[in-house]
Amino acid sequence: MKRFEATGMIEMCKRNGVEWLNLRHVEDKVKLDIAGGETLGSITVPRLVTEAAIISAAKLKTHTATTVTLGLKNMFGLLPDKFKAKYHARGISGVIVDINTVLRPKLTIIDGFIAMEGNGPVNGDCS
């Protein structure tokens, strides 16, 4: 919530009549099996994620664990778990592949106006 507030997204939602929802607090969840998954056998997500038209909007940046993230890592945000470090420990690249196997965005937009290279997403250089 702090990051959502700091970015000004709360005000944008209010201005445009858009409801903001923290996926961690959605109770109606569904388990999705990942046939032949690289790292995961299944994931549990809010049911509304499976019924929505997902649009992934991402920044062009590097990531030390995955080389680049593009729109693929955004799908990681659909997992309602508070402590996602457990997924990083299992090999984030495989986890991202598995998530994108069962949850696919209808549209992915990559903002490359300002890009990041180097040790992203925290210590990269923007150009």
Side-chain angles (χ1 to χ4, degrees):
M1 182 69 166
K2 290 178 186 176
R3 290 181 187 113
F4 193 69
E5 209 169 326
T7 61
M9 292 303 291
I10 285 179
E11 287 306 313
M12 185 279 305
C13 286
K14 287 179 185 175
R15 256 191 337 269
N16 294 289
V18 174
E19 179 183 358
W20 177 74
L21 182 63
N22 185 332
L23 295 179
R24 281 190 303 215
H25 303 295
V26 175
E27 292 186 24
D28 184 17
K29 294 185 177 135
V30 62
K31 179 180 174 184
L32 302 175
D33 291 324
I34 303 170
E38 288 191 22
T39 306
L40 305 173
S42 66
I43 56 173
T44 300
V45 296
R47 182 178 306 280
L48 69 91
V49 167
T50 65
E51 298 169 349
I54 300 168
I55 298 173
S56 177
K59 295 293 247 174
L60 182 61
K61 63 184 178 184
T62 56
H63 194 288
T64 55
T66 63
T67 308
V68 296
T69 61
L70 304 174
L72 296 172
K73 178 103 174 14
N74 273 2
M75 303 307 285
F76 186 69
L78 297 176
L79 300 179
D81 307 67
K82 182 173 184 175
F83 301 104
K84 294 183 182 174
K86 65 183 176 185
Y87 295 109
H88 284 269
R90 296 179 76 172
I92 193 66
S93 292
V95 170
I96 290 170
V97 167
D98 291 346
I99 294 167
N100 281 273
T101 299
V102 293
L103 293 174
R104 295 182 179 208
K106 296 292 182 193
L107 175 66
T108 300
I109 301 166
I110 308 296
D111 175 2
F113 187 71
I114 296 177
M116 177 181 285
E117 62 181 348
N119 290 327
V122 178
N123 296 312
D125 295 319
C126 294
S127 56

